[in-house]
Amino acid sequence: MSAGWLSIVGLGPGDAALVTPEVTAALAEASDVIGYFPYVARVAPREGLTLHGSDNRVELDRARLALELAAKGARVVVVSSGDPGVFAMASAVFEALEAAPKEWRDLDIRVLPGITAMLAASARAGAPLGHDFCAINLSDNLKPWALIEKRLRLAVEADFAMAFYNPRSKARPEGFARVLNTLRDVCEPERLILFARAVSTPEEELRVVPLAEATPEMADMRTMVIVGSSRTRLIARKGNPLLYTPRSVPEGTA
Ligand code: SAH
């Protein structure tokens, strides 16, 4: 095999201070950086580095290009926002690898973690994910809507807090309205919901509302939505209240 390698890295939620030193080191050694335009734009250009920005919907092409370049000896970094293993490029690269020539499996391939949006958002608000929780991608690009709906209902039944990625896009404006309607069917109107937009960027905006006051317009593609469990609560204080889920559930609750 060649001396090429492939690292699939997470750039964190936005702030440069939230990029891990390990990822910074991989970027410093790279010959090629591949990813969605806005993420590639977060990498400083330099001599000897080729930046390959592409559109959002071409994950598999991007993944194949990354493997192909690494197989030819390039030092390739594939960038995702947040963590590369959370609704992002790491799985896309492995899907491409399964379909690729067998010898590519011996390439030096690493996944370098990053701070995923739900952790950045929950840290800003307090600790809404302090007890059991789940994460759901609300995009139905790659799965049937009926499955999203089913997972949502079962997660509420199990009383998980829930972190929603990709809540709403211009292409799917109605999906999040349906999610709110489903929640209204199965949760009490006081259930707390965090809308955390563009966390750790200059456009950051945080808002916590009870389900009764939540509207579809509160979310867009840069928003992380965290729905509390039935035990998630607010601590009022000067300035922003703290949103948190206690660590314990009393005996006999199930
Ligand atoms: N791999 C990424 C997630 C990609 S899916 C990660 O681990 O964070 C893209 C979705 O992530 C967006 O629609 C939004 O819901 C969420 N997201 C990404 N960055 C965000 C940020 N800075 N603030 C709030 N939500 C963010």
Side-chain angles (χ1 to χ4, degrees):
M1 268 278 96
S2 66
W5 50 258
L6 170 56
S7 288
I8 311 151
V9 313
L11 295 176
D15 187 343
L18 299 182
V19 180
T20 70
E22 180 181 52
V23 166
T24 304
L27 287 168
E29 288 176 21
S31 60
D32 295 83
V33 170
I34 298 179
Y36 177 38
F37 289 120
Y39 306 151
V40 169
R42 284 167 59 185
V43 177
R46 61 172 160 78
E47 184 96 9
L49 177 66
T50 309
L51 300 174
H52 309 257
S54 58
D55 201 347
N56 206 8
R57 299 238 170 176
V58 294
E59 282 104 345
L60 264 188
D61 297 344
R62 211 187 271 154
R64 268 185 230 111
L65 171 67
L67 288 164
E68 213 170 278
L69 288 173
K72 283 186 192 147
R75 302 177 305 282
V76 183
V77 173
V78 171
V79 290
S80 284
S81 75
D83 181 89
V86 179
F87 311 130
M89 282 306 295
S91 288
V93 169
F94 296 141
E95 287 166 25
L97 184 64
E98 270 191 319
K102 279 261 174 345
E103 59 273 20
W104 287 11
R105 295 183 184 195
D106 300 331
L107 281 168
D108 175 2
I109 303 178
R110 291 165 206 216
V111 181
L112 309 185
I115 296 177
T116 188
M118 77 178 169
L119 299 185
S122 74
R124 280 288 197 269
L129 305 179
H131 188 75
D132 297 347
F133 66 91
C134 65
I136 304 178
N137 184 347
L138 292 188
S139 164
D140 61 354
N141 280 345
L142 300 170
K143 65 187 165 194
W145 183 264
L147 182 61
I148 298 178
E149 189 94 354
K150 178 177 171 185
R151 288 184 173 159
L152 197 60
R153 287 181 184 271
L154 290 173
V156 171
E157 190 185 329
D159 203 19
F160 284 120
M162 297 174 286
F164 297 153
Y165 287 79
N166 292 310
R168 194 159 176 260
S169 73
K170 289 202 185 91
R172 301 173 288 108
E174 74 300 335
F176 189 57
R178 282 157 80 179
V179 166
L180 286 180
N181 285 338
T182 302
L183 291 176
R184 289 193 227 281
D185 263 4
V186 288
C187 298
E188 66 292 353
E190 300 78 28
R191 183 64 65 100
L192 294 171
I193 306 189
L194 165 68
F195 292 90
R197 183 169 191 280
V199 173
S200 90
T201 77
E203 292 86 46
E204 177 174 305
E205 259 178 89
L206 253 68
R207 165 143 72 163
V208 179
V209 297
L211 174 57
E213 287 169 29
T215 63
E217 297 69 37
M218 290 179 180
D220 66 6
M221 275 318 267
R222 297 187 72 193
T223 308
M224 187 75 224
V225 179
I226 296 182
V227 179
S229 75
S230 65
R231 299 180 55 77
T232 303
R233 48 209 195 224
L234 281 170
I235 301 177
R237 56 175 193 157
K238 273 196 210 127
N240 285 342
L242 294 167
L243 178 71
Y244 94 107
T245 308
R247 293 168 301 149
S248 59
V249 172
E251 231 11 270
T253 315

